[in-house]
Structure formats: C-alpha cells, structure tokens
Amino acid sequence: MQQEPYTISKGTQLEGFCMDLLSELAKKVGFKYRVQLVKDGAYGRQDDNGNWNGMIGEVMRGEADLAIAPLTLTAAREKVVGMTKPFMQTGISILLRKDISEETGFFDFLTPFTAETWVGILIAYLGTAACIFVVARLSPCEWSQPQSEHNRFSLLHSLWYTAGALTLQGAGPHPKALSGRVICCSWWLFTVILLACYFSNLGSSKSSESTHLMVKGFEDLANQDIIKYGCLSGSSTLAFFKNSNNPLYRRIYEHMERSKSFVSSMDEGVRRAKEGNFAFIGESVSLDLAVARHCELVRAHEVIGMRGYSIAAALGSPIIKNLSVSILQLNEAGELTYLQSKWWASSCIADKAKSSAVQPHSLKGMFLVLALGLGLGTLLAVLELTSKSRRSAAEQKKSCCTVLAGELNLRLRTSNANRTQENVDKDKEKA
C-alpha cells in the first residue's frame, strides 16, 4: 500500500521504509520476493459478516504471502493471521496547527511585523528625524538669521516631532519651509500606511486567537466544542476509542461518531489540520512524519494506547518465527533506528512556513516613498540655501561658492547653537 514514507512509487520501482526493511529481512531469512500493492487500498478491517478486506483479507485468502506496511498489531488481527514482533513502536496522539497548540506570549503585540521590519521602521524613524534636523538648519526659510535666531528644530525636538507623528499625536511647531514640509508629508504618509498595516494584521491575529484554544492532550480536546477532531475511518485508532472503557475516550468516540468527522485518508487528515480548526487523531509515528514535512503543524506531547507495527503472514506460517528473530536482530544492531531517521528526516524549512507577520518586502514601496521624500526635501533645502547664497553673493560682490561655504559653516557648526542660545538668553535678560 502506497503511503509516505513506508512505500513510495518512484517510476516503475517502489521505495521507502518498508521496502528497505523487506530487503534487509530477505537477506537475513533468505527468501526472494515480488511486491504488489493491495487491491482495495486498505490495511484490513472486519465487516459485519466477519469478512476481512485490505491486506489482512488478501493474506487470509492466500493472495499474498506477507503483508508489510504500518499494520498495527491488534488482538482481532492476531486471531486471523500470524503477526511478527513489532518493527516500530507507535501510539495515538493529536496533530494540530501550531497556532492552536502554542501559548500566547508577552510580546505578541510585536507579531504583526517581523524583526527585520521593526529594524527597518527604527532606521526610518531615526533617518527622518535626522533629515528634519539637518533641513531645518540648512533652509533659510526655516532659519533665516542663524547669528541671532534660535533654531526651533534641535535634534531632541526633531526626534520628538517624528515620534509624535508616528503615534498620530502631533508635536509642534511645524516646519515653515517647503523642504521641511515635504519631509513631514512623506513621514505622515509612511505613518498612516504603517499603522493601517499594523492594526489590520494585529486585529486579524487576535480575532483568530479568540477561536483557538490551548490543546495539550485528549482531555483538553474533549472539554471543548470549538475545534473539530476526527481520525481515520475504519482504523485501529477508531477501534481503540470505540472499544475503550475509559469515559474520556468514550466521549471522544461519541463526539466523532455524532459529528461524522472521520477522514478517508492520512493525507486528508493532514490537509484539514493545516487548514486550521481541526485536530487529527492518529498514530504518533505517522503524525511525526507530517510534522517533519509541514512546518505549520505540531504533534501534542501526550501519547496513549502504545502499540506496534508488525508484518502479517498466513496463520501458522513458519516464516513468522524467522522474521521476528530477524526484526529483533535489526533492532539490536541499530538498523531500524537508522532506517527511521533516514525516511523521517525533516524537510521543513522555517522560512517557508506560513507566517502572519508582515514581511519587509511587502512594505518596500512604503519605504521607497519615504526615502524619495527625504531625498527630495534635503535637495530642496540645499537649493533654498544655494538660492539665498547667490543673492547674497551678488549683493556683496563675492563668489557664490565662498558665500555658500560660509553659510554651511555657520549653520552646521555645533558651537554656533550654543552661542545662539546664549544670545537669546541675554536678550531675554535685557528685556
């Protein structure tokens, strides 16, 4: 029966864990074999008339000598066919999507954006504040008399002004120059789009969390009615819950029977678990494979009903003893552990997992608009200062470059700010 990773079709050949195990057993016991897939695609289940289908039925009817698959060793099967020592131990567990099983953290308010996006926002904030500070000093429309006038946009005020706009609170005074206003408008546009994305993503994540419960085990699953759950139809897992005398397990079976939440295949169960709001109950080994293949899924820690996978042969067949001894030898030699690690290797890449956080590339247009606005504002400030320097150079009959260099030196000197503030303080004292 084809099921990853036990038996996989590759062209005209079959490969997988069971094929490798069969090859090793054939070497040890000394037999040749020909593999055929089960006709009805079932493991083996007894109907109301006492007839068996699937692999068990084919072995009973002599259509196959051996059945090698993840066949669970049960009392009902042991009565009608011979079964070897288990080659793999498993149990019953729960497969969930991670956002159903994980606890909420203290810093979940940061989840709407990725870490890279938050770093980009911080850089944008500091860059905008720095541009406002520089433009306010360069533009003669903003600071016309640097010798006697106090510049309203100090570095601290620029940071405060930018933070106020980011929180939609505002912080005056506002720039008077065109260059400063261009930068501020760019930052306001950036802020509006950023906050819209943040609250939209935060709202959707919180609304989804309101329907998600903490499910750590079967008791949590049975004590809620929001998340649907089910198992494979006609499987030994279903039989375990159906025949159990444990009140908790009986409740789970009755709920599944009442809601008809059974799935027809393992792939369907995994698919429904990935879609969310569904917990798939199955054998832990198979669930571990699903977790290794799909990053958004996780298996609950609780495992119940430990059982094993065995190889089936005709009742009373002498090969059963030899196969059981060979399985024990392979287990003691570590071969079974090696085969399991080979076929259960995780192909999950975390970066490909679905994430609700906004990625930096989805906001690149917003950052680009801001960068263009900052560049345009700074360019306008330089042009404003250049225009004033040309007029002053014409009046003073000096070189434009000389006047421009003098203006830049006067406006960008850090000591000038201190002298200006001292002059303002002295003027106030005289007044």
Side-chain angles (χ1 to χ4, degrees):
M1 179 175 178
Q2 290 196 52
Q3 180 183 337
E4 187 185 4
Y6 302 100
T7 304
I8 310 167
S9 177
K10 188 175 183 181
T12 58
Q13 302 295 320
L14 295 174
E15 62 177 24
F17 177 88
C18 287
M19 295 299 100
D20 287 352
L21 175 60
L22 183 60
S23 176
E24 293 296 327
L25 292 174
K27 293 176 185 176
K28 283 189 169 293
V29 179
F31 64 86
K32 295 181 179 180
Y33 60 90
R34 181 176 59 86
V35 179
Q36 66 181 32
L37 298 176
V38 63
K39 298 180 180 67
D40 58 6
Y43 289 114
R45 168 182 158 186
Q46 191 176 22
D47 60 21
D48 296 334
N49 298 324
N51 299 318
W52 285 80
N53 67 350
M55 291 181 162
I56 300 298
E58 290 191 6
V59 171
M60 291 176 62
R61 294 189 296 270
E63 298 174 12
D65 297 315
L66 295 175
I68 181 165
L71 275 173
T72 306
L73 177 59
T74 64
R77 289 171 177 171
E78 185 74 21
K79 288 180 182 178
V80 296
V81 294
M83 302 200 77
T84 65
K85 298 289 184 184
F87 58 82
M88 186 180 294
Q89 293 294 329
T90 185
I92 299 174
S93 191
I94 308 169
L95 184 69
L96 304 154
R97 207 168 70 178
K98 283 184 178 178
D99 53 5
I100 298 178
S101 62
E102 289 182 342
E103 296 184 6
T104 55
F106 290 109
F107 298 99
D108 280 357
F109 65 92
L110 297 175
T111 55
F113 295 145
T114 61
E116 293 83 358
T117 305
W118 284 115
V119 171
I121 293 171
L122 178 61
I123 294 173
Y125 164 72
L126 295 176
T128 303
C131 283
I132 291 176
F133 170 71
V134 172
V135 165
R137 299 182 74 85
L138 289 180
S139 174
C141 301
E142 189 69 47
W143 196 21
S144 59
Q145 299 296 330
Q147 297 91 344
S148 58
E149 216 177 78
H150 174 60
N151 193 316
R152 300 177 302 169
F153 281 91
S154 62
L155 183 58
L156 287 178
H157 181 72
S158 299
L159 291 169
W160 175 249
Y161 183 89
T162 309
L166 182 61
T167 56
L168 301 182
Q169 299 303 307
H174 299 291
K176 296 183 296 183
L178 175 62
S179 53
R181 291 179 177 181
V182 168
I183 291 177
C184 290
C185 288
S186 302
W187 177 248
W188 292 341
L189 179 62
F190 176 87
T191 297
V192 169
I193 300 174
L194 179 71
L195 293 179
C197 293
Y198 176 83
F199 287 116
S200 173
N201 213 36
L202 182 66
S204 62
S205 64
K206 292 303 177 185
S207 62
S208 63
E209 283 175 9
S210 63
T211 61
H212 290 161
L213 301 177
M214 283 296 300
V215 177
K216 295 181 179 179
F218 290 94
E219 187 171 358
D220 295 331
L221 197 63
N223 291 335
Q224 57 82 43
D225 55 2
I226 296 178
I227 301 172
K228 297 179 182 179
Y229 52 90
C231 65
L232 190 63
S233 176
S235 63
S236 59
T237 300
L238 176 60
F240 171 84
F241 288 100
K242 182 178 180 179
N243 301 327
S244 176
N245 293 323
N246 188 312
L248 175 63
Y249 301 157
R250 289 294 305 176
R251 282 171 54 201
I252 292 176
Y253 167 73
E254 290 168 2
H255 179 276
M256 292 189 295
E257 187 68 35
R258 186 170 56 252
S259 61
K260 301 297 181 184
S261 54
F262 304 116
V263 297
S264 58
S265 66
M266 178 74 184
D267 291 338
E268 182 185 350
V270 172
R271 177 183 59 78
R272 292 187 62 181
K274 288 173 63 178
E275 291 172 355
N277 205 37
F278 182 81
F280 177 53
I281 302 173
E283 294 180 343
S284 58
V285 173
S286 300
L287 302 187
D288 287 338
L289 176 68
V291 172
R293 298 292 186 268
H294 308 282
C295 297
E296 63 269 46
L297 297 178
V298 65
R299 179 176 68 80
H301 294 298
E302 185 179 6
V303 179
I304 61 174
M306 293 301 296
R307 73 278 299 279
Y309 290 153
S310 298
I311 300 173
L315 197 63
S317 174
I319 199 173
I320 292 292
K321 180 69 174 178
N322 295 332
L323 289 175
S324 294
V325 172
S326 298
I327 287 172
L328 292 175
Q329 290 174 344
L330 290 173
N331 185 45
E332 292 169 0
E335 288 295 324
L336 295 182
T337 304
Y338 165 73
L339 289 179
Q340 188 167 349
S341 64
K342 171 186 175 181
W343 291 103
W344 268 258
S346 176
S347 61
C348 169
I349 300 176
D351 292 340
K352 293 183 180 179
K354 290 184 179 179
S355 173
S356 59
V358 176
Q359 302 294 330
H361 60 77
S362 62
L363 300 176
K364 59 184 179 183
M366 186 175 70
F367 283 97
L368 178 61
V369 170
L370 177 63
L372 291 175
L374 298 182
L376 179 60
T378 305
L379 178 62
L380 287 174
V382 172
L383 292 176
E384 290 170 357
L385 183 60
T386 303
S387 177
K388 181 191 175 184
S389 299
R390 290 185 66 180
R391 290 196 303 268
S392 299
E395 293 173 0
Q396 301 173 16
K397 297 182 179 180
K398 293 182 179 179
S399 169
C400 179
C401 294
T402 304
V403 175
L404 179 60
E407 284 282 352
L408 289 173
N409 184 47
L410 181 63
R411 292 172 180 274
L412 299 180
R413 276 189 306 178
T414 56
S415 60
N416 181 70
N418 297 329
R419 286 205 308 269
T420 302
Q421 185 62 43
E422 291 174 1
N423 294 336
V424 171
D425 293 340
K426 288 178 182 179
D427 294 337
K428 288 181 179 179
E429 289 176 2
K430 292 177 180 179

